[in-house]
Every structure is written in C-alpha cells, then in structure tokens.
Amino acid sequence: MNYRPDIDGIRAISVISVVIYHAFPNYMPGGFVGVDLFFVISGFLITTIILSEQQKGNFNFINFYSRRIKRIFPALITVLTISFIGGYFLLLPNEFKLLGKHIAGGAGFVSNLVLWNESGYFDVEAVSKPLLHLWSLGIEEQFYIIFPVILWIAASRNYHVFKLIIFLTLLSFLVNIALHKSEPISNFYSPISRFWELLIGSVLAYMLLFEKKSIHQQRSKIDAYIQNSNLKIINFFTTIGIQNLVSAVGLIFIFIALFFASGRRFPGTWALLPTIGAFLVILAGKESWLNKNFLSNSVLVYVGLISFPLYLWHWVLLSYVFIITGNAVSEEGRLLIVALSFFLASITYYYIEKPIRYGTSNGMMTLGLLFSMGVLLTVGLIVYWFDGIPSRVPNSNNLLSIQKQFTWEKSNNADPLCLKKYGGDQYCKISRLAKSPTVALIGDSHANHFFLGLSDYLQKKGENLLHLGVGGCAPFLHVDWGNHPNHGNLRCYERSKKIYDFVLQNQNIKMVILAFQHTEYFRNDIDFIDKMNEIQRNNNLENSYLALKRTIEIFNKVGKKVVLIQDLPNLKYDLKDCLNTRPIEIYKKVCDFKDVFQSHQIKIYNKFIDRLEKETNITIFRTHPYLHDNFVFNKNGLPSYRDGSHLSESGSMYFSDKYDF
C-alpha cells in the first residue's frame, strides 16, 4: 500500500498522549484514549493489507504472520528481556513472581486475559506492574490471529465482506455497551468488547479500497450542493473544502477525548469520540491541509515511526522507578524518564526493529524470533512457579514470611461455601459455616481487613461472625453513588440491599459491626444519591453523615446493637520500601515511623464519629490509641499494613485481643 505519513502523525499523537497520561496525568487526563487511536490504525492497516492481497490473489497466511512477527517481535523481545533482567536485580520475590506471570502473558499475547483474571479491588496498584500496558498488544494480536481467518473464510465462500465487517463491528460494539455498567473490568480487557475499535479501521479500509468511486461521487454531490447554496455558513465550508473539514472534525473529536474523557469508564460510548475521530482523519486523505501540513510534519512522522518501541519502553521505565522509589518521583525525574524512553525507542527502532523487519526475508529469522519468544514465555512461567526466586535477595527465609503479609489471598474476601449459603456479593466470610451467624460485619474492604482479628475475638466469646459487603460501597442503607472515579457505576444500592435485608430479618444476628474507608464517603466531591428520598440536603458531606446515622437507627429499631470500628489512617508510603531488602538497593527510603500515618486525612471522619457517639446509640471501637512504632512492624518484624491503606493478616490479628464490646 502507498505510504501515508499522516498516519504516522496520528500514531505520534496516540503514543504522545499515552506517555503524557502516564508520566504527567494532570496535563492530559484523557491521554489513555491514545490506545483507542492505535486500535483504529491497526485495524485499517491490517485489513488494507489482507484485502489488497486477496484482491490480487496472493494472500498467504505464512507470509502474513511472518511479517507480523518481524514487525512486533524484535522490539517486544528486547523490552521483555530487559524487564526480566531489571526484575531479577531490583524486585522483591512477590513483585518478581508477578512480573514472571506478565512476561509469560506478554510473550503469549494474552496479557489482557491475565490482567482481566487478576483485576479486583485488592489487586496491586497499576504502577507495580511494569508490563501492564501490554494488555492492548494482547487485544491487537488476538485480532490479527482471528480476523484474517474470518476474511479468508468469507472470501472462499463468496460472502459479502463489507456487510460481514459491519455486522461484526456492530456486534462487538453492542457487547461493549452491554458490559459497560455491569462488568466494567471485563469490558475493558475483553477482546470481544474491544474488537469494534479495530473493525472501525477495517470498515474504512474496505471503503477506501473498493468504494473510492462512490466516495468521490458523494464528495462531488456535497461540493455541488455547497456551491449552489446561499447560506453563509455553507459558503464558509466551501472555502475550507470538504476534505479539510472532515480532517478538522476528526482531530477535534480526538482532542476532546484527550482532555475530557477522564473519570469515565472505557470503552463505552465515549470511545466513539477518538475512534470516529481517527476514522475521519484517515478518510480525509493525506492531501487534506491538516494531514499534509500538521500530521505529516517531520517531527510527528519521526515519533510515529518509533511509536511502538516508545509505547513499550516508557511504562516499563516509569513503573520500575515508581516501584524502587515508592512513587517518590519528581516531575523533573519523570521528564528524564520520558527522554530516556525516546532515546531507547530510537535505538530499538533503528538498530533492532528496522534491520530485522526490512532485512533479508528468510524463514530462519522468523523461526529464531518465535524461538526467542518461546524462551521468554518459559522463563516467565518458571519465575512465577518458583515464587519469584527468593534466593536472589538477602535474608530470604525471613523475607518470605514478611512478603506474605504484603499479599491478600482471594480466600480472605469470600468463601465459595459462604457465598452458596448466604448469597453475599464480593465479600462473604463466616467464622463457622456449620453454625448460624450471631454477629454481622458489613462494609467495604476496610471492613474486610478487620475480619480475621474480629473473628478470633468473637469466637472466644462464643459468637459466630459473618462478613458481607461490596468493595467501594459504604455500609449506608438506601444510598448509591453517582459518577465518581472510585464509586460511580458500582451499583452499591442494588448490590447491597439484599445484604441489609438479610441482616435486618435474621433474628439470630444480635450485633452489627460497621467499618469503611474514611477518605471516600465523607467528602463533598461525590455524587450522593438517596434512594429513599428522605435526605434532601445539598451538602454531600452532611448527607453521608445523615445516611450513616439513619443506618444505625434502622438497625437499632429491630433490636440490634451497632458497633463502628474507627478506620485507620492511610500511610504516607508503602512499607515494602522500608525493608531495604531488594537484591540491589538503588534507592533506600528512611522510614520515620512517628510520621508514617497521614493523620490529617482522617480529621473530618473523626469529627463525624464523635458526633455519632453523642447523637446515636452506637458503640465505637477506637483503633488510634493502639497506633505506635511497634504497630507498624510488630515484635516479629511483620508489617501491619499490606499496602497504603489496608491491614495485612498480621495487622488484622493485632487487634484480636484489643476489642472490647
């Protein structure tokens, strides 16, 4: 196909927006939509190649996949190899184990499926995953594997290819809409709900290959209509030219998405802005003014050429620095990382990718690349199976017990037998399954992390504790949260109502314990929704308090004692960074335990629970008197926090002999 420098310009906008979003999110809050632009470009180019070769009668699967391997594998193998070496010398065992799984996922082009499977409320932070960004490559490669086969079958059976592409596009888009609210994580990572973005490029490829005459005729009709019109606005468009107008509208769509898509779940309908924008810009053609003078300028074309290795390098480098420094990276430091990413991307493109891609074509090179990727996949699995090779680090035997505290097994969230018996939702844990519950613990993850210690305390008193709850949902009856990054679209009211109904109606449950994250619900910047229309104030901060007060009173009315566990303050830094036990210590954090807690964040929350104690019949268990140097790391050297705000198993058990209610 004829080279389109303007497409490299769109690639440049795509990768620059993603890099800015990762390094300086405040400057381009919707920069993540750059991936959606990549999808459209990939779908357009791949479909153009396949349909062109089919039209000439020389399409060959071996040649097609060999070209894909030579295009993608060199840079990917390089980055995966360096990621492995860096992980071996810099990462703790649990971090290296996770990296091993992600190397295997990246080498097998199933990163999106791996990340989909491990995503959840308790999953580690995104910055702790150096290969997180490979999810998009997984979706592209799955498209490259499946779509050529579909086109080959369609051609061999004389199906109408364009109608088939349109049908598949609409089907995938409808799946995206269906999953948008109910299964946002599945919608993000599933190839089925993402393929429509690549297929939009396929639609355009077919149009430009086989409908050029029709497109030209329609353009002529529009031009004639404009010329015959007396409307000033139409005459203005005549001056611009229809091609230039289409290109301008496309770029406007893209930039609106880049700056206004933040806080919205993707893909959903908002993904139409960047994808339709890319469609229009490519449709306008390389001769339109913006395409020729803006997108085809030498700087953007250069960035477009190195866009693939730049995409691979930038997040790996940022993530490693974030991990090593505990996120303590200045803007100047991030700017240096971005500059290094551009340098490494250029080296990778000119000295690794380009020579292999455009060098002598032979099967041995393709087989060598396949073999190398297979080795990386195997090495990744070995690292995962051997728990991150703990022998790499000093004091590995003692470190293993410490590292265990930084993980939270899914079995701590819910038990299958508990879910089967009590329904539950995200959380369902019970001390003794064979006995009826006598105490209910309700709340989000900050209730869940108290369960182990609470269960131990209550069992000694002959009580049986049942924990039910939903991550990100406060234990406030008849309340939901609107469009908010952490709580919007969680359907808290719908998912929690059955929990409250069960607890309210169960006569055996005499006590209800409430716990929740202090920073999330006593805020004015959340959309408070009272499903019972009983709370009419416009002050969301006060509304949250009134909802909690109403919840306590409802439980009191049916004869249940209500206990509130005072939430713990967040940490200023990750306790892993206080251990200084990495194989090679590049950055050592000095941890001052007198200043480890972000106590200022909890002042509003504490003010409200003091008020609750005066205005309601509630018992408050105050955790803060027990926060001291020995709490952060106990006498056995085990951390009480597993991340910045959640207790570890050791931290949960710490309170088991402190409770008194």
Side-chain angles (χ1 to χ4, degrees):
M1 59 179 292
N2 294 327
Y3 174 64
R4 294 267 309 256
D6 56 319
I7 291 180
D8 271 326
I10 305 172
R11 277 200 184 104
I13 292 174
S14 305
V15 74
I16 290 170
S17 64
V18 172
V19 171
I20 293 174
Y21 173 71
H22 285 153
F24 312 99
N26 293 332
Y27 296 135
M28 191 169 282
F32 54 85
V33 306
V35 172
D36 303 88
L37 302 180
F38 274 127
F39 283 161
V40 176
I41 295 168
S42 296
F44 171 73
L45 295 175
I46 290 303
T47 307
T48 300
I49 291 169
I50 296 171
L51 293 180
S52 297
E53 292 182 353
Q54 283 185 342
Q55 186 183 31
K56 297 173 185 176
N58 61 0
F59 176 75
N60 181 286
F61 279 108
I62 293 177
N63 289 338
F64 173 79
Y65 288 119
S66 177
R67 289 197 301 267
R68 290 298 88 208
I69 288 169
K70 291 174 71 176
R71 165 73 175 93
I72 293 169
F73 279 34
L76 183 59
I77 288 171
T78 302
V79 173
L80 289 178
T81 302
I82 298 300
S83 298
F84 169 79
I85 294 171
Y88 185 90
F89 290 107
L90 298 174
L91 298 184
L92 297 168
N94 61 331
E95 296 167 342
F96 194 43
K97 177 181 180 179
L98 186 65
L99 178 70
K101 182 167 71 167
H102 292 168
I103 287 175
F109 296 105
V110 291
S111 287
N112 57 315
L113 305 181
V114 172
L115 292 162
W116 180 4
N117 184 60
E118 69 188 25
S119 291
Y121 196 75
F122 288 102
D123 191 28
V124 299
E125 291 183 84
V127 293
S128 299
K129 297 180 177 182
L131 300 177
L132 176 71
H133 59 324
L134 296 189
W135 70 269
S136 62
L137 187 59
I139 287 175
E140 284 196 21
E141 286 303 303
Q142 289 150 25
F143 180 82
Y144 295 162
I145 292 169
I146 296 171
F147 191 59
V149 176
I150 293 175
L151 290 182
W152 177 78
I153 294 172
S156 63
R157 300 192 178 184
N158 293 320
Y159 293 154
H160 196 295
V161 173
F162 191 57
K163 289 181 179 178
L164 177 62
I165 294 173
I166 292 291
F167 170 76
L168 293 174
T169 305
L170 291 174
L171 182 63
S172 176
F173 182 75
L174 289 174
V175 172
N176 156 49
I177 296 302
L179 295 177
H180 178 58
K181 288 187 177 180
S182 60
E183 298 291 340
I185 294 174
S186 301
N187 197 34
F188 187 88
Y189 288 119
S190 171
I192 297 174
S193 59
R194 282 287 196 168
F195 276 175
W196 68 271
E197 299 182 67
L198 292 107
L199 287 164
I200 281 180
S202 302
V203 170
L204 180 59
Y206 187 94
M207 289 171 59
L208 293 182
L209 278 172
F210 302 113
E211 303 293 337
K212 272 189 177 180
K213 185 177 180 181
S214 175
I215 293 172
H216 180 72
Q217 289 175 346
Q218 294 300 322
R219 186 184 299 159
S220 298
K221 288 180 181 179
I222 294 172
D223 286 338
Y225 176 79
I226 290 173
Q227 290 170 5
N228 295 328
S229 173
N230 293 320
L231 295 175
K232 291 183 178 180
I233 185 70
I234 297 294
N235 289 327
F236 173 71
F237 289 156
T238 305
T239 305
I240 295 176
I242 190 64
Q243 282 180 280
N244 294 333
L245 180 64
V246 168
S247 176
V249 170
L251 282 172
I252 289 170
F253 281 5
I254 289 170
F255 280 98
I256 288 174
L258 289 174
F259 289 97
F260 296 100
S262 177
R264 305 177 193 278
R265 291 176 183 256
F266 255 67
T269 54
W270 263 82
L272 286 169
L273 269 177
T275 52
I276 296 299
F279 177 97
L280 293 174
V281 173
I282 298 172
L283 175 64
K286 61 182 178 181
E287 295 303 320
S288 61
W289 193 90
L290 284 170
N291 292 42
K292 186 176 182 179
N293 294 281
F294 172 55
L295 293 175
S296 299
N297 80 77
S298 57
V299 175
L300 284 183
V301 169
Y302 175 78
V303 176
L305 290 172
I306 66 169
S307 60
F308 181 55
L310 177 58
Y311 180 78
L312 295 178
W313 277 117
H314 85 280
W315 180 248
V316 171
L317 297 178
L318 283 169
S319 179
Y320 268 113
V321 175
F322 285 147
I323 290 170
I324 294 167
T325 64
N327 298 349
V329 190
S330 65
E331 282 202 359
E332 293 79 5
R334 280 173 274 156
L335 189 61
L336 286 173
I337 295 168
V338 169
L340 179 59
S341 301
F342 272 89
F343 173 74
L344 292 175
S346 299
I347 296 296
T348 304
Y349 175 75
Y350 284 107
Y351 294 100
I352 298 174
E353 178 184 326
K354 193 174 179 181
I356 293 175
R357 184 180 179 187
Y358 298 110
T360 304
S361 178
N362 61 70
M364 292 304 296
M365 176 61 73
T366 303
L367 290 175
L369 291 170
L370 278 170
F371 176 77
S372 300
M373 195 66 81
V375 169
L376 279 168
L377 191 152
T378 304
V379 167
L381 290 175
I382 290 171
V383 170
Y384 179 72
W385 287 333
F386 286 89
D387 295 321
I389 314 177
S391 58
R392 299 172 300 113
V393 302
N395 302 315
S396 58
N397 291 333
N398 183 48
L399 184 62
L400 283 176
S401 60
I402 296 175
Q403 284 294 303
K404 187 177 183 298
Q405 297 301 314
F406 291 122
T407 60
W408 191 255
E409 301 296 336
K410 289 187 176 181
S411 59
N412 285 333
N413 303 342
D415 179 83
L417 294 176
C418 180
L419 289 167
K420 184 177 180 180
K421 188 169 183 178
Y422 295 102
D425 193 289
Q426 186 171 352
Y427 307 125
C428 188
K429 291 287 293 182
I430 189 166
S431 302
R432 295 188 182 95
L433 188 65
K435 292 183 63 177
S436 297
T438 57
V439 180
L441 170 64
I442 304 176
D444 58 15
S445 63
H446 283 231
N448 176 255
H449 70 183
F450 284 117
F451 177 80
L452 294 175
L454 268 175
S455 178
D456 183 69
Y457 164 71
L458 290 168
Q459 282 190 75
K460 291 174 181 176
K461 294 183 63 176
E463 305 288 353
N464 193 28
L465 177 65
L466 172 66
H467 169 42
L468 299 170
V470 180
C473 294
F476 303 168
L477 271 71
H478 314 312
V479 168
D480 211 338
W481 312 97
N483 188 26
H484 184 271
N486 295 334
H487 305 288
N489 300 320
L490 284 179
R491 300 178 293 120
C492 289
Y493 173 73
E494 176 188 333
R495 295 169 66 189
S496 301
K497 188 176 184 301
K498 56 189 176 183
I499 293 172
Y500 299 125
D501 289 343
F502 170 78
V503 175
L504 285 165
Q505 295 165 15
N506 192 304
Q507 299 299 314
N508 292 320
I509 296 177
K510 304 298 183 184
M511 182 190 298
V512 175
I513 302 174
L514 305 177
F516 51 88
Q517 187 175 16
H518 67 272
T519 57
E520 293 301 320
Y521 312 108
F522 288 109
R523 294 164 52 167
N524 261 327
D525 62 342
I526 59 176
D527 298 327
F528 180 94
I529 303 171
D530 178 28
K531 291 290 186 175
M532 303 302 288
N533 296 318
E534 296 175 347
I535 300 174
Q536 303 299 329
R537 295 174 184 267
N538 293 322
N539 183 338
N540 284 338
L541 200 65
E542 181 70 8
N543 285 343
S544 292
Y545 172 78
L546 294 174
L548 177 56
K549 181 180 178 183
R550 179 179 63 186
T551 299
I552 295 164
E553 290 169 346
I554 290 173
F555 281 123
N556 284 159
K557 283 179 182 178
V558 293
K560 300 185 189 299
K561 177 180 179 180
V562 181
V563 176
L564 174 66
I565 299 181
Q566 182 187 26
D567 195 27
L568 297 162
N570 295 336
L571 299 183
K572 292 182 178 178
Y573 37 75
D574 195 325
L575 293 185
K576 288 197 294 290
D577 301 314
C578 302
L579 295 174
N580 295 332
T581 54
R582 297 185 183 279
I584 297 178
E585 286 295 346
I586 294 177
Y587 180 94
K588 291 190 177 183
K589 179 181 286 295
V590 178
C591 295
D592 180 0
F593 295 121
K594 293 180 181 179
D595 195 35
V596 69
F597 301 112
Q598 293 187 349
S599 301
H600 65 282
Q601 290 184 335
I602 211 163
K603 288 181 179 178
I604 294 175
Y605 164 82
N606 283 338
K607 177 182 175 182
F608 279 120
I609 66 171
D610 290 343
R611 182 177 161 192
L612 272 177
E613 197 169 30
K614 295 175 182 177
E615 297 182 1
T616 66
N617 183 23
I618 190 173
T619 299
I620 296 176
F621 173 73
R622 297 187 181 271
T623 57
H624 292 200
Y626 302 101
L627 304 182
H628 45 70
D629 289 1
N630 293 333
F631 170 72
V632 180
F633 281 96
N634 66 24
K635 60 183 179 181
N636 295 319
L638 299 179
S640 291
Y641 280 75
R642 66 178 184 270
D643 55 32
S645 68
H646 294 99
L647 288 173
S648 64
E649 292 182 2
S650 174
S652 184
M653 290 302 297
Y654 172 84
F655 289 103
S656 64
D657 60 353
K658 312 291 189 303
Y659 295 118
D660 184 20
F661 44 77

